[in-house]
Amino acid sequence: MADSWTFAVARDDRARTTLVDSPMPAVADGEALLRVDRVGLTANNVTYAVLGEAMRYWEFFPPEPRGLDRQWGLPPLWGFAEVIASTVAGVEAGQRVYGYLPPAGHLVVRPDRVDASGFRDASGHRADLPSPYNAYRSTSGDPAHRAEQEDLLILFRPLFFTSFMLADQIIDNDHYGAQSLVLSSASSKTAYAAACELHGRGPRLIGLTSPGNLAFTRSLGCYDTVLTYDDISALDPVPTVYLDLAGAPATRRALRDHLGDRLVRDIAVGLTQQTPNADAAGQVFFAPVQMRKRSRDWGRDGLDERFTAAWQRFVPVLNKWLAVQVGNGPEALRHAWLDVLAGRTPPRVGHVVQL
Ligand SMILES: NC(=O)c1ccc[n+]([C@@H]2O[C@H](COP(=O)([O-])OP(=O)(O)OC[C@H]3O[C@@H](n4cnc5c(N)ncnc54)[C@H](OP(=O)(O)O)[C@@H]3O)[C@@H](O)[C@H]2O)c1
């Protein structure tokens, strides 16, 4: 009898999904078994699938051991899991961890660098993938963890960390000399959290969004101006940095036409519209890069402290802007995936699934 399950999406058509029973994975010496407990779904998870090959996101959770062939990919999710079996000292059954998880019932990890804050998965297939994705944080050793804020951490931790690092990089570079920062997909969690961090730091913050999300984005109050994608000609022709979270070629074209050489930087941060934009932008923001820089500058504890302080400042505002919608079980996960993929999720909603 199958004791576990796996959800996967077709790599060539992300709207084609499968949900299969899988055998309970066996745990070898040096390994631990996690039960995936509660996860979130936002456009960021869809981006992992869009960039599954290019950025190797498909490699974190290979389909083959779960009885699926390579036409399928397991889009990584963020959330909490519980250790249910372990052969590793310091990793104990009952321990709750936060980290990068498969859309599946269970995950086998090979804990390494175990300490009070958690461990890293040293499984061979993850060894040369970006290391921040291999860390599992124990709730008991995590200064940012509050039991009553778990859903906020599920949805926002990686996004807010990106926003925090993105804002830090821009400030660290004196805003690249810009007087305006323009963010697309301004209604997205990553964009508005970055805008919160950058608000009042000098440059004007301008959000671009779709007409249906204009009122929500204006209501946030973290942008000085919010315009729709069709209103780019209303932008002041001043030195501008474009932080692209939408990835829409037409928006980039319109900005370049309107601003010319006053567009001093064009940085790809995300691609909610599911068209890769790294080449077109010319510069890509990848949070782990600035994270490594700040880990060197501030030490890991210094970075943790600053992140936790920023997070605790953000949570009270976030409570006004976010409606967490909780689903139950793998079918709810599939529904949430299809909803987010199709852009049907209103920006106020955050999907969390209890598995
Ligand atoms: N570089 C990094 O290290 C990094 C880290 C974290 C996140 N990101 C990226 O930032 C982006 C935002 O992620 P998020 O999780 O914060 O997003 P989110 O909150 O789920 O974003 C929702 C917004 O994205 C737009 N959108 C969503 N689905 C769409 C669709 N199917 N078609 C067109 N527009 C759609 C809409 O905004 P508008 O109407 O305002 O356009 C929508 O309100 C993602 O691409 C993510 O990968 C990058």
Side-chain angles (χ1 to χ4, degrees):
M1 201 185 77
D3 300 297
S4 193
W5 57 271
T6 301
F7 168 77
V9 306
R11 294 183 185 202
D12 64 356
D13 174 8
R14 293 175 287 274
R16 193 157 59 85
T17 65
T18 187
L19 188 53
V20 295
D21 290 337
S22 337
M24 180 67 86
V27 186
D29 211 27
E31 293 181 339
L33 180 63
L34 308 185
R35 181 183 62 77
V36 180
D37 181 53
R38 199 169 170 100
V39 294
L41 253 175
T42 72
N44 186 40
N45 305 97
V46 172
T47 299
Y48 291 142
V50 176
L51 300 177
E53 258 98 45
M55 298 287 285
R56 305 178 62 191
Y57 289 116
W58 292 136
E59 295 178 37
F60 282 90
F61 308 115
E64 292 89 346
R66 298 167 188 271
L68 290 165
D69 65 41
R70 286 181 61 80
Q71 71 165 301
W72 300 104
L74 276 64
L77 307 172
W78 292 94
F80 288 96
E82 188 192 344
V83 178
I84 56 170
S86 173
T87 65
V88 179
V91 178
E92 310 298 340
Q95 192 174 336
R96 193 165 173 77
V97 296
Y98 182 87
Y100 213 41
L101 298 168
H106 298 86
L107 173 68
V108 174
V109 289
R110 180 163 283 278
D112 187 27
R113 291 163 57 183
V114 179
D115 63 22
S117 69
F119 58 84
R120 311 187 71 77
D121 182 8
S123 295
H125 69 279
R126 292 175 73 160
D128 60 349
L129 297 174
S131 73
Y133 297 107
N134 291 336
Y136 291 84
R137 283 269 192 173
S138 188
T139 53
S140 53
D142 177 2
H145 181 261
R146 308 267 188 286
E148 71 284 4
Q149 292 174 359
E150 280 204 344
D151 285 346
L152 304 185
L153 282 172
I154 286 172
L155 286 166
F156 264 92
R157 185 173 206 147
L159 308 182
F160 186 75
F161 191 75
T162 298
S163 313
F164 170 74
M165 294 276 63
L166 175 64
D168 177 65
Q169 181 174 303
I170 291 167
I171 293 163
D172 203 18
N173 286 281
D174 295 326
H175 313 105
Y176 303 102
Q179 291 172 28
S180 286
L181 303 175
V182 173
L183 291 86
S184 58
S185 271
S187 67
S188 70
K189 297 168 184 63
T190 308
Y192 71 66
C196 271
E197 283 289 294
L198 288 162
H199 194 80
R201 297 295 201 124
R204 283 184 70 72
L205 287 169
I206 296 154
L208 300 177
T209 188
S210 34
N213 294 332
L214 188 65
F216 170 81
T217 311
R218 284 187 171 153
S219 77
L220 298 171
C222 54
Y223 298 101
D224 297 303
T225 306
V226 182
L227 302 171
T228 65
Y229 294 117
D230 291 337
D231 251 350
I232 283 170
S233 58
L235 290 175
D236 284 342
V238 296
T240 299
V241 168
Y242 180 37
L243 303 173
D244 182 21
L245 286 92
T251 303
R252 168 162 286 105
R253 244 185 337 266
L255 275 169
R256 287 185 175 174
D257 287 350
H258 181 63
L259 293 171
D261 60 8
R262 293 190 180 95
L263 187 61
V264 294
R265 288 272 161 156
D266 180 345
I267 305 176
V269 181
L271 43 117
T272 59
Q273 299 199 11
Q274 301 166 29
T275 303
N277 52 351
D279 291 344
Q283 183 173 339
V284 177
F285 177 77
F286 189 48
V289 173
Q290 182 70 2
M291 178 186 173
R292 271 194 291 277
K293 176 178 189 291
R294 287 314 201 183
S295 297
R296 285 195 301 273
D297 293 348
W298 299 335
R300 189 178 148 185
D301 287 348
L303 177 59
D304 266 7
E305 273 164 30
R306 286 168 172 85
F307 172 74
T308 303
W311 171 246
Q312 294 304 347
R313 280 196 305 274
F314 182 60
V315 165
V317 250
L318 181 56
N319 280 325
K320 291 186 294 192
W321 300 340
L322 181 71
V324 177
Q325 230 169 63
V326 183
N328 277 288
E331 266 304 335
L333 180 64
R334 189 212 297 263
H335 279 119
W337 171 265
L338 293 172
D339 230 49
V340 172
L341 178 72
R344 283 192 298 264
T345 305
R348 183 179 292 285
V349 168
H351 287 290
V352 167
V353 186
Q354 175 66 49
L355 294 163

